[in-house]
């Protein structure tokens, strides 16, 4: 009789154990000579040495399956334990899987161009209207890099541009004041990483979410760094951010030129950066448009309606000036 403790690292144990510990009960029935006790992410197993070896090997295969697909089904457990062939590779085009097991992958030509630009360049600008998936896809690429250990950390940032409310008048401490600006980034991460694991990664600073001002003075190495809503940066801010780039780091800068919240007298740093860096080697630029919108079909119609309104207004202003 031997005893071992197996740790389910990097995965949500709830997915592994199943609803109401259904998966765990099934595994116990398939290993009758072992006494299996699970608590949190640790499995304590006691029993026959021969079955122990098989159990240890198959638990690791199941853990790897959950790590890849964010899901585990009864048929997957049976296939792994009975030695049948299982789907070990992520299907072509899939970046990562959501917490519901849904494959996250490019859904349009320009989204595919964004993925290719990321693979081929260390710095990528992704510009397009709301709903084109530029932020969500960028975070998926960062999560994939973390899973595959090609990056040691993810750093996500946004400019905290005040829209109607002054930060000083909002309730709470600085984190409470800033978090609403960063919520879309939290939402995307929570869709791809188990809640408990995400919290642990944030506490260990493997995943960092901070306002743009917190980037000053840092050198960012071994990371995927995403600047979201870059249209709301000033020229000085985006210049500061871009020069934080360190070794083995990839940067993705996303923005929507139709949603600039800066004062009218202030030039957007994103517009200036795209002009200055247009022909710099090693930088990729991907322009997304209304055809890439993957939200509700009404979002496409709304974006198109506003684009037509802006064109008509600009045309009228030009005629009036003449």
């Amino acid at each position: 009789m031997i005893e071992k403790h197996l740790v389910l690292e990097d995965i949500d144990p709830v997915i592994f154990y199943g609803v109401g510990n259904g998966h765990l009960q099934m595994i116990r029935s398939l290993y009758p000579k072992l006494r299996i006790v699970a608590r949190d992410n640790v499995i304590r197993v006691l029993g026959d040495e021969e079955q122990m070896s098989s159990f240890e090997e198959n638990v690791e295969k199941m853990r790897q399956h959950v790590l890849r697909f964010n899901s585990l089904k009864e048929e997957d457990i049976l296939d792994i334990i009975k030695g049948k062939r299982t789907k070990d590779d992520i299907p072509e085009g899939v970046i990562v899987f959501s917490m519901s097991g849904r494959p996250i992958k490019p859904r349009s030509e320009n989204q595919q161009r964004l993925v290719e630009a990321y693979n081929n360049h260390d710095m990528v600008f992704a510009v397009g209207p709301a709903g084109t998936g530029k932020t969500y896809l960028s975070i998926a690429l960062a999560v994939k890099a973390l899973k595959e250990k090609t990056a040691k950390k993810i750093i996500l940032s946004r400019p905290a541009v005040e829209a109607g409310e002054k930060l000083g008048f909002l309730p709470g401490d600085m984190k409470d004041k800033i978090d609403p600006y960063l919520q879309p980034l939290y939402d995307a991460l929570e869709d791809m990483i188990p809640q408990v694991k995400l919290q642990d990664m944030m506490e260990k600073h493997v995943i960092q979410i901070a306002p743009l001002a917190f980037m000053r003075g840092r050198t960012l190495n071994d990371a995927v760094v995403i600047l979201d809503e870059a249209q709301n940066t000033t020229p000085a801010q985006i210049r500061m951010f871009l020069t934080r780039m360190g070794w083995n780091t990839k940067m993705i800068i996303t923005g929507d030129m139709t949603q600039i919240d800066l004062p009218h007298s202030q030039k957007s740093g994103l517009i200036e950066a795209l002009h200055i860096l247009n022909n710099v080697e090693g930088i990729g630029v991907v322009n997304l448009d209304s055809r890439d919108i993957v939200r509700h079909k009404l979002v496409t119609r709304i974006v198109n309606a506003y684009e037509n309104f802006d064109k008509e207004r600009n045309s009228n202003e030009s005629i009036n000036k003449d």
Side-chain angles (χ1 to χ4, degrees):
M1 297 276 286
I2 60 172
E3 179 178 338
K4 285 194 176 183
H5 291 187
L6 308 180
V7 180
L8 301 174
E9 294 181 347
D10 301 325
I11 65 168
D12 184 352
V14 173
I15 297 175
F16 188 95
Y17 299 144
V19 178
N21 285 337
H23 294 164
L24 189 60
Q25 296 294 348
M26 182 180 186
I27 293 168
R28 283 172 176 152
S29 69
L30 292 166
Y31 285 98
K33 294 182 180 180
L34 298 179
R35 183 170 181 266
I36 302 167
V37 179
R39 184 171 184 178
D40 297 327
N41 68 331
V42 178
I43 299 175
R44 178 174 170 267
V45 55
L46 180 71
D48 179 78
E49 185 173 356
E50 185 178 342
Q51 276 207 357
M52 181 79 74
S53 176
S54 168
F55 177 80
E56 191 173 3
E57 181 181 340
N58 287 328
V59 163
E60 176 57 21
K61 287 180 180 178
M62 285 183 267
R63 189 192 72 83
Q64 288 289 342
H65 185 95
V66 174
L67 188 63
R68 288 190 183 99
F69 302 104
N70 268 334
S71 69
L72 186 66
K73 300 175 183 177
E74 289 186 356
E75 53 263 39
D76 298 324
I77 295 171
L78 283 171
D79 284 344
I80 289 170
I81 291 179
K82 293 185 176 181
K84 294 182 180 179
R85 186 175 178 180
T86 58
K87 51 175 186 177
D88 290 328
D89 297 323
I90 292 177
E92 186 177 356
V94 175
I95 301 171
V96 291
F97 287 81
S98 73
M99 289 309 302
S100 63
R102 173 179 56 84
I104 299 171
K105 60 182 179 180
R107 295 171 62 182
S108 69
E109 285 187 21
N110 286 326
Q111 286 190 0
Q112 181 61 42
R113 289 192 183 102
L114 172 54
V115 174
E116 291 169 359
Y118 171 85
N119 291 333
N120 296 324
H121 300 85
D122 288 337
M123 184 179 291
V124 178
F125 287 83
V127 182
T132 51
K134 53 191 183 296
T135 300
Y136 191 78
L137 212 58
S138 297
I139 291 177
L141 289 166
V143 170
K144 179 184 180 184
L146 206 58
K147 283 177 176 280
E148 295 180 349
K149 302 189 185 303
T150 57
K152 293 182 180 178
K153 57 192 171 187
I154 297 173
I155 301 171
L156 308 175
S157 187
R158 268 187 164 198
V161 175
E162 297 170 1
E165 289 183 288
K166 298 291 184 183
L167 282 176
F169 289 99
L170 294 176
D173 59 19
M174 180 55 70
K175 185 178 185 300
D176 294 328
K177 295 174 190 290
I178 292 298
D179 272 358
Y181 292 103
L182 308 174
Q183 192 59 49
L185 306 179
Y186 288 113
D187 291 343
L189 286 169
E190 287 171 355
D191 196 34
M192 303 176 203
I193 299 174
Q195 181 66 44
V196 174
K197 185 62 183 175
L198 176 58
Q199 187 64 37
D200 180 61
M201 285 178 163
M202 293 182 69
E203 288 175 358
K204 293 177 179 176
H205 302 292
V206 175
I207 295 178
Q208 304 170 29
I209 305 178
L212 181 58
F214 286 43
M215 296 295 107
R216 189 174 299 279
R218 301 182 65 184
T219 300
L220 309 174
N221 296 316
D222 301 308
V224 179
V225 187
I226 299 171
L227 174 59
D228 194 34
E229 300 286 358
Q231 77 277 1
N232 288 325
T233 60
T234 65
Q237 284 175 330
I238 199 166
R239 183 174 182 175
M240 176 273 293
F241 175 82
L242 297 177
T243 54
R244 301 304 94 201
M245 191 172 192
W247 296 106
N248 190 37
T249 288
K250 282 182 177 278
M251 280 189 168
I252 307 175
I253 300 93
T254 73
D256 177 0
M257 300 303 195
T258 67
Q259 295 192 41
I260 298 175
D261 298 320
L262 295 167
H264 290 298
S265 59
Q266 179 67 66
K267 186 175 182 180
S268 168
L270 179 59
I271 293 175
E272 182 175 280
L274 287 170
H275 174 71
I276 294 171
L277 304 175
N278 185 42
N279 295 314
V280 174
E281 185 179 353
I283 296 177
V285 178
V286 180
N287 290 294
L288 300 101
D289 55 41
S290 58
R291 293 171 296 178
D292 302 300
I293 292 176
V294 292
R295 293 182 185 169
H296 193 285
K297 59 185 178 182
L298 272 177
V299 176
T300 304
R301 297 173 190 168
I302 291 168
V303 169
N304 288 336
Y306 271 95
E307 284 180 352
N308 292 334
F309 173 78
D310 289 339
K311 288 177 184 176
E312 185 177 338
R313 181 176 59 183
N314 292 338
S315 178
N316 290 336
E317 288 177 355
S318 178
I319 292 171
N320 291 335
K321 286 180 181 178
D322 293 339

